[in-house]
Amino acid sequence: MTAVLEPAATRAPQSLAELTGRARRIRQHIVDVCTGGEGGHLGGSLSLVEVLTALYFDVLTVDPERPQAPERDIFLLSKGHGAVGLYATLAERGFFDPAELAGFGRPGSRLMAHPVCAVPGVEMPTGSLGHGLALGVGFALAARLDRSPRRTYVALGDGELQEGSVWEAAAGAAGLGLDQLTAVVDRNGFQLTGVTEQICPLEPLADRWRSFGWAVREVDGNDMAQVQSALRAAPWTPGRPSVLIARTVKGAGVPFVADRVASHYVRFTERQHARASAALRRQARGDGDD
Amino acid sequence: MTEATVVPARATREAYRDRLVAQLAEQAKLICLDTDTGLFGGVDFGPAADRYVNLGIAEQNLMGVAAGMAAAGWTPYVNTFAAFAAARAIEAVKIDIAYNALPVRIAATHSGLAAGHLGPTHQALEDLAVMRALPNMTVVVPADAAAVEAVMEQATRLPGPLYLRLGRKATPAVPTAEPLVIGQVQMLRPGHEVVLVACGPHPVRAALAAAEELAAEGIEPVVLNMHTVKPLDVAGLCAATADARLVVTVEEHWRGGGLGSAVTETLAEHGPVPVVRVGMPDTFASYVGGHEPLLDHYGISAPAVAAAVREHLPRFSPPANPRRGGHPVVDPNGSGRVRREVEQ
């Protein structure tokens, strides 16, 4: 353990093989957690796995041994219902023992179904949508005033963008010129009861962010190389906050729930768990989806 | 009210503004986040200029940004009207600030009926109810400019969030022999049988004036300045009301949920002592007028307080076995008279 963490800018990129391997293990954790018990928010956790993996295993300056290290970067899961994915990632990264994941949502566990600060690595509690970006603006503004190299990353759901407070923060961040701030939109196209474009349309989403003064990039959010490359390169325009629109598949990695609204909250049976795990193993071997 | 005072009348919000400008020069990790309120127009922040940030008209964002900065080690003072702090932005106050127990100071101006003719959209008569419901929140209503300065000095040692309820126009200094300490009731006037419990510039002065009016009739009310609505000084309140026949609360707030409710809840559990609440009736203001005409119209005034005492005191007999005889002198510190089982 070094006294001061090495910033991402001077670290060599993590290999794609390492990242994809981690992503598969994180997906397995998520599938495990969403089996039995209370179940969990499966679809929106799986869709964000490449983003979480690229951040925690390559981009973010963090130290699992020192979750509060002052020189760390900040990640906020504004779409707090993706807690299963965040917990799985934190556990895989070493912030806590992955065995603890089995207690998710159960009496006495600290793994509440929306992120809480009692979990090592969680910076702020989230879950009520529309809070994370303003918090991120606060962290980024603090870093600027502190003359700190700290970067702040905020993951938003696409349905979450229907909350007006997101756009207060978006306008505020651009007005302040906070290029220390990067937002990621998990654009999986679904919200709780259906398709975003049929409920409260968001497109043209990139134009919307651009018109608020943000630097915008769009990638296949389940393509690790694209996600890693884009996140490592931020800020893309000096003086502007960056937003990565990650076009993802809700439930990505588990073919029999992927791209379906029903993947939002799932409690797998043991048989479904076996089927999902087999699909993840096949992807690891390169056999493709079933 | 126009009584002559040695200390000139001053608006609590202006006292806040001037003290904050001084504190910004003294404390490197202090920041002022504004929402285009205009309170800081023309202020020269000097070397601290980068620590005044106008975030625009976006109060939800204000509270979230403040929480993020506080989590990163800063102490933000945020400025908005009480109406917006306690209503529009309340979810961010609850989740981002109170839940995390972060040291954000919410400076809420135009509280109560202070917005006057601007109307109910700008009046805040629910803010004490809302803020005192939140765990970790400290809720203080300074009665004058000196009280604001005392609270802000003590706030530098307050680890959690603070709701600082401020007014709009100048109000006279409140005569008091005791320094303000957050969480400790101030006794402004000794007396017996009747206890007037007030917070805020106009209610406190209304209570004091009502007490003088009643004294001419042989009733000598105690007057308490309960500037800290949360955490309520339970021990001090119980001590000061131990021999009371009647407690009357006075506040610039709807009668439900605020100081009157806090006092009633406490005395119901620890007294019991009859409580009558003077405050805004259960209605939105429809009367057009400035701050003081509105207070008079809705009965948040010295005559209204005195009338409440005259009306309700006869309902409650003197105690059959007074614990301290007929004419107790209230000990403002109360330490010797607090029942040991009282919870803080």
Side-chain angles (χ1 to χ4, degrees), chain B residues 240-254:
Chain B
T241 57
D243 299 287
R245 284 168 58 193
L246 175 66
V247 170
V248 177
T249 60
V250 194
E251 65 192 309
E252 195 176 328
H253 190 275
W254 275 310

Side-chain angles (χ1 to χ4, degrees), chain B residues 25 49 93 95 98 131 140 250:
Chain B
V93 173
I95 294 175
M131 290 296 171
V140 182
V250 194

Side-chain angles (χ1 to χ4, degrees), chain A residues 57-240:
Chain A
F57 288 88
D58 186 37
V59 178
L60 289 177
T61 299
V62 289
D63 182 355
E65 300 295 320
R66 296 185 301 143
Q68 296 297 311
E71 70 274 25
R72 74 192 186 283
D73 288 334
I74 301 293
F75 173 74
L76 303 170
L77 184 69
S78 191
K79 47 168 285 183
H81 57 285
V84 178
L86 177 60
Y87 293 162
T89 306
L90 290 171
E92 183 65 22
R93 182 71 172 83
F95 282 86
F96 58 91
D97 184 349
E100 193 180 335
L101 291 168
F104 174 83
R106 296 177 191 249
S109 170
R110 59 183 171 177
L111 302 182
M112 207 177 284
H114 290 103
V116 287
C117 294
V119 180
V122 173
E123 298 286 353
M124 296 291 266
T126 50
S128 175
L129 298 174
H131 287 250
L133 195 58
L135 295 170
V137 172
F139 276 104
L141 180 58
R144 185 164 79 186
L145 289 167
D146 286 330
R147 293 173 175 78
S148 158
R150 167 180 283 174
R151 294 197 54 79
T152 299
Y153 301 82
V154 181
L156 301 142
D158 50 358
E160 178 179 11
L161 303 184
Q162 292 161 5
E163 292 282 3
S165 55
V166 172
W167 300 101
E168 285 190 13
L176 292 165
L178 289 176
D179 60 12
Q180 300 93 333
L181 179 65
T182 301
V184 179
V185 176
D186 182 5
R187 183 63 171 129
N188 61 40
F190 288 100
Q191 54 194 103
L192 179 73
T193 66
V195 174
T196 63
E197 298 314 285
Q198 292 171 3
I199 293 170
C200 184
L202 300 167
E203 299 293 344
L205 189 55
D207 287 347
R208 197 188 276 203
W209 283 96
R210 217 170 272 123
S211 73
F212 271 72
W214 287 59
V216 184
R217 285 195 189 178
E218 293 185 78
V219 294
D220 176 341
N222 297 125
D223 181 314
M224 186 68 81
Q226 289 187 36
V227 171
Q228 180 191 20
S229 166
L231 288 174
R232 282 189 67 90
W236 308 316
T237 305
R240 288 179 189 261

Side-chain angles (χ1 to χ4, degrees), chain B residues 37-82:
Chain B
T37 60
L39 182 59
F40 292 86
V43 169
D44 178 9
F45 290 93
D50 63 343
R51 286 183 284 125
Y52 168 81
V53 179
N54 186 350
L55 291 168
I57 308 161
E59 291 80 12
Q60 300 177 85
N61 188 48
L62 171 76
M63 299 301 178
V65 171
M69 294 203 75
W74 287 71
T75 300
Y77 268 87
V78 304
N79 310 290
T80 180
F81 288 13

Side-chain angles (χ1 to χ4, degrees), chain B:
Chain B
M1 280 172 267
T2 57
E3 73 263 34
T5 52
V6 177
V7 180
R10 196 165 174 227
T12 53
R13 65 169 174 156
E14 291 175 2
Y16 152 71
R17 176 196 62 201
D18 295 346
R19 188 72 202 106
L20 183 59
V21 172
Q23 284 191 343
L24 283 166
E26 298 158 7
Q27 300 171 35
K29 297 288 270 190
L30 203 63
I31 185 161
C32 176
L33 302 174
D34 202 358
T35 45
D36 209 39
T37 60
L39 182 59
F40 292 86
V43 169
D44 178 9
F45 290 93
D50 63 343
R51 286 183 284 125
Y52 168 81
V53 179
N54 186 350
L55 291 168
I57 308 161
E59 291 80 12
Q60 300 177 85
N61 188 48
L62 171 76
M63 299 301 178
V65 171
M69 294 203 75
W74 287 71
T75 300
Y77 268 87
V78 304
N79 310 290
T80 180
F81 288 13
F84 311 138
R88 179 190 291 269
I90 192 59
E91 198 194 62
V93 173
K94 170 188 153 189
I95 294 175
D96 302 336
I97 296 172
Y99 182 23
N100 295 305
L102 290 168
V104 175
R105 285 73 178 92
I106 302 168
T109 65
H110 298 65
S111 64
L113 292 164
H117 71 285
L118 298 174
T121 56
H122 284 57
Q123 295 159 1
L125 296 156
E126 73 291 343
D127 57 330
L128 296 179
V130 170
M131 290 296 171
R132 84 179 182 90
L134 299 177
N136 301 323
M137 187 65 74
T138 295
V139 180
V140 182
V141 191
D144 63 13
V148 173
E149 293 176 353
V151 172
M152 291 178 71
E153 196 280 326
Q154 290 164 42
T156 60
R157 298 181 295 279
L158 185 71
L162 169 70
Y163 182 74
L164 184 62
R165 193 186 208 232
L166 301 170
R168 181 182 175 214
K169 291 189 174 174
T171 47
V174 170
T176 175
E178 302 171 50
L180 182 149
V181 177
I182 293 175
Q184 291 183 21
V185 66
Q186 283 178 304
M187 200 192 68
L188 302 180
R189 184 187 193 281
H192 54 84
E193 289 200 316
V194 174
V195 179
L196 308 180
V197 186
C199 68
H202 292 280
V204 165
R205 286 186 306 120
L208 286 167
E212 292 307 311
E213 192 178 321
L214 291 164
E217 302 164 25
I219 302 171
E220 294 283 354
V222 174
V223 177
L224 302 179
N225 178 7
M226 192 65 83
H227 46 75
T228 306
V229 176
K230 185 175 188 175
L232 197 75
D233 183 357
V234 173
L237 178 65
C238 289
T241 57
D243 299 287
R245 284 168 58 193
L246 175 66
V247 170
V248 177
T249 60
V250 194
E251 65 192 309
E252 195 176 328
H253 190 275
W254 275 310
R255 281 203 284 260
L259 175 69
S261 289
V263 168
T264 304
E265 292 157 12
T266 301
L267 293 180
E269 290 179 355
H270 298 294
V273 183
V275 180
V276 169
R277 294 164 296 144
V278 170
M280 182 72 176
D282 188 22
T283 184
F284 290 95
S286 56
Y287 180 84
V288 178
H291 190 185
E292 296 195 16
L294 278 168
L295 291 167
D296 290 340
H297 182 81
Y298 287 108
I300 306 167
S301 62
V305 174
V309 172
R310 288 188 202 103
E311 179 187 349
H312 294 284
L313 187 60
R315 294 169 55 205
F316 306 107
S317 304
N321 296 300
R323 276 168 281 174
R324 286 179 57 91
H327 300 280
V329 176
V330 173
D331 167 10
N333 295 318
S335 55
R337 301 181 55 204
V338 181
R339 296 184 317 178
R340 286 191 173 78
E341 68 270 28
V342 167
E343 291 178 21
Q344 292 294 314

